[in-house]
Amino acid sequence: MTAKEQIDKNKLPKHLAVIMDGNGRWAKQKGMFRSMGHENGTKAVREIVEACAEINIPYLTLYAFSTENWSRPKLEVELLMKLLVSSLKKEIKTLHDNNIKLNAIGNLEALPKKAQRELKDVIDKTKDNSRMTLTLALSYGSREEIIKTIKEISHKVKNNLISPENIDETVINNHLYTQNLPDVDLLIRTSGEQRISNFLLWQIAYAELYFTETLWPDYRKNHLFEAILNYQNRERRFGKTSEQLK
Ligand code: IPE
Ligand code: IPE
Ligand code: MG
């Protein structure tokens, strides 16, 4: 049986998040410019979006550009923004034909105007799609998101719209960029790095973490199916004992 056939459709992660890492190293290994790594990374994005749609994962979130990535060389940042615009233009039809809804999280106003317009266009066009929600984390940083959340809630407290006693997980969830998304069940990071790099700190509180040496441009459907199988063989206890789950 192939990895895909072994997947238990009743035990799928509802929300899969991916830190797509290793584009630069992939290019360097081949004696190419980093930009080639990013360009080839878009193929892996297409594969993984398709794979998730095939097995019916309802929420997929991809870390595409972090708040920290703004510190990269200007040319690399420009290239990544151009790649974002061209990928959106290229993929809009496929997304729409496959009933996929595009969503974006992060400080989107920091993106170049052109990227903002293109993003808004695809989000608008796909807003009624229901098979899967694909969220791109762009200019995203979890700490920035938490600060934004605290500011918004503080203003509401100040204006007597909410009392401090009523602040709970739901209130916080409702102010995060991810307000319409469930908690992350499985977080995958490629390229061998074992860190979170300021991604969804609140939302991964109980996520299963999966690290793989594969560099992002080499990541294919079968790698994802293997990761899902690994996830399905874990026992998620959420603080309880194993016996309680039986
Ligand atoms: C991930 O690959 C893409 C982004 C962070 C935008 P990297 O560009 O981080 O690749 P490495 O880590 O340098 O190999
Ligand atoms: C994290 O990767 C950000 C994205 C994948 C978009 P980085 O390559 O920027 O993270 P660090 O620098 O290794 O922590
Ligand atoms: Mg990296």
Side-chain angles (χ1 to χ4, degrees):
M1 268 210 288
T2 64
K4 188 183 177 186
E5 286 162 355
Q6 289 175 60
I7 290 173
D8 179 350
K9 290 278 157 69
N10 299 312
K11 264 179 78 180
L12 287 169
K14 194 170 175 202
H15 186 177
L16 167 67
V18 186
I19 302 176
M20 311 183 287
D21 198 16
N23 294 354
R25 277 162 285 164
W26 183 90
K28 199 172 171 190
Q29 278 179 7
K30 296 187 154 44
M32 301 192 285
F33 291 116
R34 289 179 61 84
S35 56
M36 289 308 289
H38 297 311
E39 277 178 32
N40 281 277
T42 62
K43 286 185 201 159
V45 171
R46 199 171 314 130
E47 284 258 328
I48 278 14
V49 171
E50 269 180 34
C52 288
E54 279 172 24
I55 58 172
N56 289 316
I57 289 184
Y59 296 93
L60 169 65
T61 299
L62 302 175
Y63 203 6
F65 194 87
S66 71
T67 46
E68 288 74 21
N69 289 149
W70 289 115
S71 311
R72 290 195 178 190
K74 189 166 172 274
L75 271 177
E76 179 164 345
V77 171
E78 279 173 10
L79 175 105
L80 285 165
M81 293 302 144
K82 275 192 193 136
L83 210 52
L84 169 67
V85 172
S86 61
S87 302
L88 287 166
K89 276 196 183 29
K90 209 158 117 192
E91 301 302 333
I92 181 165
K93 192 175 170 333
T94 319
L95 290 176
H96 199 45
D97 289 350
N98 287 292
N99 198 12
I100 296 168
K101 173 180 171 151
L102 189 78
N103 178 38
I105 56 172
N107 180 17
L108 304 179
E109 281 165 21
L111 298 173
K113 286 281 173 299
K114 205 170 170 192
Q116 289 186 44
R117 275 199 303 275
E118 207 59 48
L119 203 55
K120 191 177 173 297
D121 189 40
V122 184
I123 290 172
D124 283 348
K125 286 208 173 98
T126 60
K127 72 178 188 322
D128 296 321
N129 292 348
S130 57
R131 181 175 184 188
M132 178 170 99
T133 299
L134 167 63
T135 301
L136 298 181
L138 291 163
S139 187
Y140 176 88
S142 196
R143 289 192 167 178
E144 189 271 333
E145 176 181 42
I146 291 170
I147 292 167
K148 168 195 99 79
T149 298
I150 294 173
K151 280 185 183 160
E152 285 175 12
I153 297 175
S154 304
H155 279 296
K156 289 188 183 171
V157 168
K158 191 174 157 201
N159 295 319
N160 293 320
L161 295 166
I162 185 167
S163 78
E165 294 70 38
N166 290 336
I167 298 172
D168 59 8
E169 287 193 14
T170 308
V171 170
I172 292 180
N173 275 326
N174 289 341
H175 288 84
L176 294 169
Y177 291 126
T178 52
Q179 54 187 242
N180 299 316
L181 308 177
D183 276 353
V184 175
D185 297 302
L186 173 60
L187 173 69
I188 297 175
R189 182 170 189 150
T190 59
S191 87
E193 306 299 354
Q194 302 195 2
R195 55 175 168 264
I196 304 300
S197 302
N198 202 11
F199 191 41
L200 302 173
L201 299 179
W202 169 275
Q203 299 88 340
I204 59 165
Y206 249 112
E208 296 297 326
L209 309 181
Y210 182 90
F211 299 104
T212 168
E213 295 290 327
T214 308
L215 301 174
W216 180 250
D218 288 330
Y219 208 71
R220 291 294 174 267
K221 288 181 185 179
N222 220 44
H223 294 111
L224 180 81
F225 297 145
E226 295 284 354
I228 307 258
L229 280 181
N230 179 291
Y231 163 87
Q232 293 190 328
N233 283 317
R234 300 182 189 189
E235 183 175 58
R236 301 187 76 196
R237 290 189 287 279
F238 297 98
K240 294 183 180 170
T241 67
S242 195
E243 288 66 33
Q244 282 177 294
L245 302 172
K246 301 267 146 66

